[in-house]
């Protein structure tokens, strides 16, 4: 079997939300690690909204058009955990993550890819943010419904 191609160190984080509740998935490779939908671009020329639609379909079975994803214009660059670096080309240590939202009219039960995720739950946004292992994911969820830092200082 040929080796898997190296992952592109540019990804999307998609916060799926409904009326203040957020969908979280538990990682199969790290039980207890809860997160929103994430995934790397398939190629450098794949539009980010297409990446969002593909990853949401792969990880939840939910089909949404690329135009349905709201670009939050929030980008993070972070160090890739050492145990996940072998998925990338040699020497790649950082990933650039682009944050998107997907508002859905009703909660749904996702069809999970068992190799990727073992469980799901819908939580109120504060609880969802507290459950995320990733600081970028928690920050994105807080941005969804919580006051901005400026509002906190002046509110």
């Amino acid at each position: 079997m040929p080796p898997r191609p190296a992952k592109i160190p540019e990804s999307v984080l998609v916060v799926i939300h409904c009326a203040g509740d957020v969908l979280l998935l538990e990682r199969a490779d790290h039980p207890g690690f809860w997160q929103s939908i994430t995934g790397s671009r398939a190629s450098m020329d794949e539009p980010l909204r297409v990446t969002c639609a593909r990853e949401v379909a792969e990880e939840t079975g939910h089909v949404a058009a690329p135009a349905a994803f709201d670009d939050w214009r929030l980008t993070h660059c972070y160090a890739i955990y050492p145990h996940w670096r072998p998925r990338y080309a040699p020497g790649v240590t950082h990933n650039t993550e682009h944050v998107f939202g997907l508002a859905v009219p009703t909660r749904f039960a996702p069809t999970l890819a068992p190799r990727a995720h073992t469980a799901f739950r819908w939580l109120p946004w504060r609880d969802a943010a507290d459950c995320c292992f990733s600081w970028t994911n928690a920050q994105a969820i807080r941005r969804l419904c919580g006051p901005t830092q400026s509002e906190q200082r002046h509110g």
Side-chain angles (χ1 to χ4, degrees), residues 94-119:
H94 286 75
N95 183 70
T96 301
E97 175 183 79
H98 305 273
V99 181
F100 289 79
L102 177 63
V104 294
T106 58
R107 294 179 182 194
F108 62 91
T111 302
L112 301 178
R115 290 181 52 207
H117 299 100
T118 57

Side-chain angles (χ1 to χ4, degrees), residues 34-70:
W34 290 89
Q35 66 181 57
S36 294
I37 285 66
T38 62
S40 295
R41 287 177 130 172
S43 66
M44 285 306 294
D45 61 350
E46 180 180 52
L48 291 171
R49 280 189 173 91
V50 172
T51 304
C52 291
R54 179 177 50 76
E55 289 294 335
V56 166
E58 288 174 4
E59 295 187 15
T60 70
H62 183 80
V63 176
F69 294 88
D70 182 28

Side-chain angles (χ1 to χ4, degrees), residues 6 18 20 22 32-33 39-41 46 57 66 81 90 96 101 107 116 126 133 143 153:
C18 177
V22 174
F33 277 31
S40 295
R41 287 177 130 172
E46 180 180 52
Y81 287 126
T96 301
R107 294 179 182 194
R126 282 186 181 95
F133 78 94
R143 186 177 178 127
R153 282 194 297 271

Side-chain angles (χ1 to χ4, degrees), residues 20 22 24 121-132 141-142:
V22 174
L24 293 181
R121 55 187 170 178
W122 286 92
L123 294 172
W125 69 268
R126 282 186 181 95
D127 296 336
D130 290 344
C131 283
C132 291
I141 292 170
R142 288 185 182 103

